[in-house]
Amino acid sequence: MRYELIGVTKTSLPPLNSYIEKLHDIWTSNQITNNGLLVQKLRHELKSFLDVKNLIPVANGTIALQLAIRGMGLKGEIITTPYSYVATTNAILWEGCEPIFVDIDKDTFCIDPELIESAITERTSAILATHVYGYPCDVSKIENIAKKYGIKVIYDAAHAFGVRLNGKSILEYGNCSTLSFHATKIFHTAEGGAVISKNEKDDQKIFLLSKFGHIGEENYLDIGINAKMSELHAALGLVNLPMIPQIILERSKRAAWYDEYFINSKLQRPLEPKGFDYNYAYYPIVFSTHEQMMAAKIALNSKDIHPRRYFFPSLNTLPFLRTELLRPCPISESLASRVLCLPIYGGLNHSDVKKIAATILSCLTV
Ligand SMILES: *Cc1c(COP(=O)(O)O)cnc(C)c1O
């Protein structure tokens, strides 16, 4: 028997033949990039699958964030969450803006809307919040604040592929949302991402910026960048997309197994809002103390099981931030010190889930 290490996720690969079949199309057209037929097809299929009007496939989820910031002309301060992957903060900094960290809600792990208003200054241009683990931010409160102050909203929806809230796609909230199609995400193109815009004007601007800022050979209109997705990546997306309902179903089964084992434990789980369809992208658990979390991590690692400390460190403590940006976010810092994301993917055996749960439960008495 082949011995396999258990990681936090396992990249889902389609049957090789189905990918090779798509490659035939590319070899026939002889076009491997520059908004070719497969990228156009993927764009079309993603819009329909995700139930959104405007979507631009791009090279990765980080450049998607940068394009959203650039495309809307954001400057100065951007209010953001300290509890996300580092790309959320880096995109703000890379675009020459300042991340203003506002602490998270202790139950949802998303930015706390009650703390946003007091962080707004005349230099604030936007809120960039993450639907962390795919659980939605308080989108209605955030929308009200944004309207009141005339600022924009971007959601980093890298974890929220296929998530729905109140009968519509989570991606329909805010001015723009961004997705990552990295290999570790539930829908992937190896590397890739997308920008979803509410209005046509932002969509067109971002599309222009994603392809060097020029149209045809003569119209050089703006300072663009190369954020294009290639046909080879789009081909992988086209064969992965039909597998998504099954992938989500398989993950939901593993989540239900964990739920059963943890039902009487003191482990904290993110609060699920009403009217919400989850994608089971992650299975985070929060320990009472950092020591318990580390004990569980070490115990699991010794069995070749590798949960991840998503998300550590709390982004407001990143060592490369200028000192004025280092604002305390006690809830995020505390959560970051106590959280683990457990392995979850189709193909993870029930016996492995049982072993993982038992190992964790045995550490809770420490
Ligand atoms: C994965 C991820 C990104 C970055 O996406 P890439 O496609 O890897 O560039 C951004 N934000 C969050 C929250 C992520 O998890």
Side-chain angles (χ1 to χ4, degrees), residues 228-247:
K228 289 177 276 115
M229 178 184 278
S230 83
E231 291 288 277
L232 295 137
H233 292 86
L236 192 50
L238 284 167
V239 288
N240 275 335
L241 190 58
M243 294 167 49
I244 289 297
Q246 185 64 24
I247 286 171

Side-chain angles (χ1 to χ4, degrees), residues 41-59:
K41 188 152 194 269
L42 181 65
R43 185 180 190 182
H44 181 76
E45 291 195 6
L46 284 171
K47 281 188 201 177
S48 136
F49 185 91
L50 296 168
D51 196 12
V52 295
K53 233 175 40 245
N54 303 310
L55 179 148
I56 300 163
V58 293

Side-chain angles (χ1 to χ4, degrees), residues 60-62 65 84-85 87-88 130 156 158-159 180-182 185 192 282:
N60 59 67
T62 306
L65 284 166
S84 183
Y85 181 57
T88 314
T130 301
D156 182 340
H159 307 159
S180 164
F181 304 152
H182 184 254
K185 310 297 204 266
Y282 297 88

